[in-house]
Amino acid sequence: GEIDCFIENTIKDWMKSYDVPPVKDGRIVRSEIEEHSIRPFSGLFLNTRSPLLGDKNVREALTLLFDFEWTNRALFYDKYLRCVSFFPNSPLAAPDVPDAAELALLEPWRDRIDPAVLGPLPELPETDGSGAIRPLLRRALALFEKSGWKLADGVLRNAAGEPMRLAFPLVSPAQQRIVVPYQKNLAQIGIRLDVRLVDQTQYVNRVRSFDFDIIIASLRQSESPGNEQRNFWSSEAARQEGSRNYAGIGDPVVDAMVERLIAAATFEELTAATRALDRLLRHGRYVVPGWYSKHTRIAWWRERITPPPDRPKRGLDWTSWYAAPRALPPRAADGGR
């Protein structure tokens, strides 16, 4: 009874934690509002500052080992979609093949980029959701071997005999239930993923100083991307502690696309530059793509808020809600919560 309305961002709680009398008798109303705007991008960010993660083959192999379909079915109740783009649910996402506007931006950098960037986008692995990923394990191991890693006696080692061991700090038990199955997948080909739940202060300090190999992070994207993209992807941000360039990307071509995006004078120019940036990031394998929802999930007290929320065109507009004129129900009637 202490909160009038609440946005629920944890799908497990949405599905399991509202089995209470006020919901059953209709005093608390729950609603899933479909969003038509760009959604936040989330994923497992791979810190390329780490000598273990500077190789794109290694990053691609690690991407193969995250079983999104199983995670979505077993943990997310099949309620999420994969972040195939860094600009989810948006026309700013790069199409499979670059159009003339994108190619015009990328062509001057032809000698600095992988030729594959000028072709189709890289495909993300898909599984049947059963948890059996043996074909992906074989593909991942082949990529590791291509970069000099060998599996021997159950441990993946490089030419110097060093084991593949990655640090993955977490700040939430909700994250832990997602990462532990990934940890088990990596262990099948000899990779040790040290998953550690730490307190908020330690976690913030480690993220600010880039003291990690992998983290789960989310970036809120704008319908009109701009200066914030420097903080996400630029070489300058990669060198600046506390920036949100978690992956440590230091690519002059990415820098150039960010600047073209910021300087865009028309929506067409903005679209072309954003799509080119998206294409470069996806080919770079800097992030194991995560998940997003097309819905905002909210619960509110029927007696306290009127009218009920309408479907917003761009996010949830709190100013369109008004407190109900009637008195609040007694706390005792709310079960004292």
Side-chain angles (χ1 to χ4, degrees):
E2 297 176 358
I3 298 174
D4 293 330
C5 56
F6 185 70
I7 297 179
E8 181 58 74
N9 292 316
T10 302
I11 193 64
K12 179 184 177 184
D13 289 342
W14 181 255
M15 301 298 293
K16 296 291 187 180
S17 298
Y18 288 81
D19 187 19
V20 293
V23 172
K24 292 179 178 178
D25 63 27
R27 285 179 293 149
I28 290 179
V29 181
R30 298 197 303 155
S31 181
E32 291 187 301
I33 302 173
E34 184 176 358
E35 299 282 4
H36 300 282
S37 58
I38 191 169
R39 306 303 291 152
F41 172 84
S42 73
L44 280 58
F45 284 68
L46 306 175
N47 187 359
T48 61
R49 302 172 186 86
S50 166
L52 298 176
L53 298 175
D55 189 312
K56 189 169 77 169
N57 287 330
V58 170
R59 299 195 299 272
E60 181 178 354
L62 293 173
T63 298
L64 292 173
L65 298 176
F66 181 74
D67 188 348
F68 169 76
E69 286 72 25
W70 179 90
T71 302
N72 198 28
R73 179 186 62 80
L75 303 180
F76 297 156
Y77 303 89
D78 280 324
K79 293 288 188 178
Y80 287 145
L81 301 172
R82 191 84 190 262
C83 286
V84 295
S85 166
F86 286 82
F87 302 88
N89 201 42
S90 165
L92 298 173
D96 184 50
V97 177
D99 61 14
E102 272 193 80
L103 290 173
L105 293 174
L106 295 170
E107 182 62 34
W109 299 93
R110 180 180 287 272
D111 62 339
R112 300 291 297 272
I113 60 178
D114 182 341
V117 173
L118 301 177
L121 287 166
E123 294 183 359
L124 284 176
E126 291 188 21
T127 70
D128 61 6
S130 68
I133 61 166
R134 186 173 295 276
L136 294 180
L137 290 169
R138 287 196 293 266
R139 286 173 57 189
L141 195 55
L143 285 166
F144 278 118
E145 290 177 348
K146 188 176 180 180
S147 292
W149 293 85
K150 300 288 186 182
L151 179 61
D153 299 323
V155 179
L156 192 66
R157 298 181 184 275
N158 61 15
E162 299 168 325
M164 173 67 76
R165 183 175 179 178
L166 302 169
F168 199 146
L170 302 175
V171 73
S172 164
Q175 295 176 339
Q176 195 168 23
R177 61 193 287 268
I178 298 167
V179 173
V180 167
Y182 184 56
Q183 180 187 42
K184 292 178 179 177
N185 287 346
L186 267 59
Q188 293 188 64
I189 57 171
I191 301 171
R192 178 172 172 176
L193 187 65
D194 292 329
V195 178
R196 184 182 177 192
L197 193 62
V198 299
D199 63 66
Q200 181 79 25
T201 301
Q202 182 180 351
Y203 183 80
V204 169
N205 288 335
R206 290 187 65 172
V207 171
R208 284 177 176 170
S209 62
F210 308 121
D211 180 20
F212 60 85
D213 292 309
I214 311 176
I215 59 168
I216 293 179
S218 177
L219 301 176
R220 291 194 173 274
Q221 295 285 20
S222 167
E223 300 260 359
S224 180
N227 293 333
E228 77 286 345
Q229 301 300 316
R230 286 196 187 112
N231 195 35
F232 295 166
W233 319 116
S234 74
S235 301
E236 181 181 356
R239 298 187 294 267
Q240 183 179 24
E241 285 198 4
S243 82
R244 303 191 70 185
N245 188 344
Y246 304 127
I249 301 169
D251 182 343
V253 188
V254 169
D255 292 342
M257 293 308 111
V258 168
E259 295 307 313
R260 291 297 295 264
L261 177 158
I262 293 171
T266 66
F267 184 72
E268 289 73 23
E269 290 179 4
L270 175 68
T271 299
T274 306
R275 288 177 172 178
L277 173 62
D278 188 34
R279 188 173 306 278
L280 290 165
L281 296 174
R282 289 159 76 173
H283 275 279
R285 305 286 191 175
Y286 301 111
V287 184
V288 178
W291 50 90
Y292 74 97
S293 174
K294 291 187 70 171
H295 295 85
T296 295
R297 298 177 174 89
I298 54 177
W300 77 95
W301 285 96
R302 183 184 295 277
E303 295 294 318
R304 300 187 187 187
I305 293 180
T306 187
D310 195 3
R311 175 182 294 178
K313 292 182 179 179
R314 296 179 184 274
L316 191 62
D317 182 8
W318 292 101
T319 62
S320 67
W321 284 17
Y322 300 91
R326 68 200 73 177
L328 300 183
R331 286 179 57 91
D334 301 340
R337 295 180 62 84

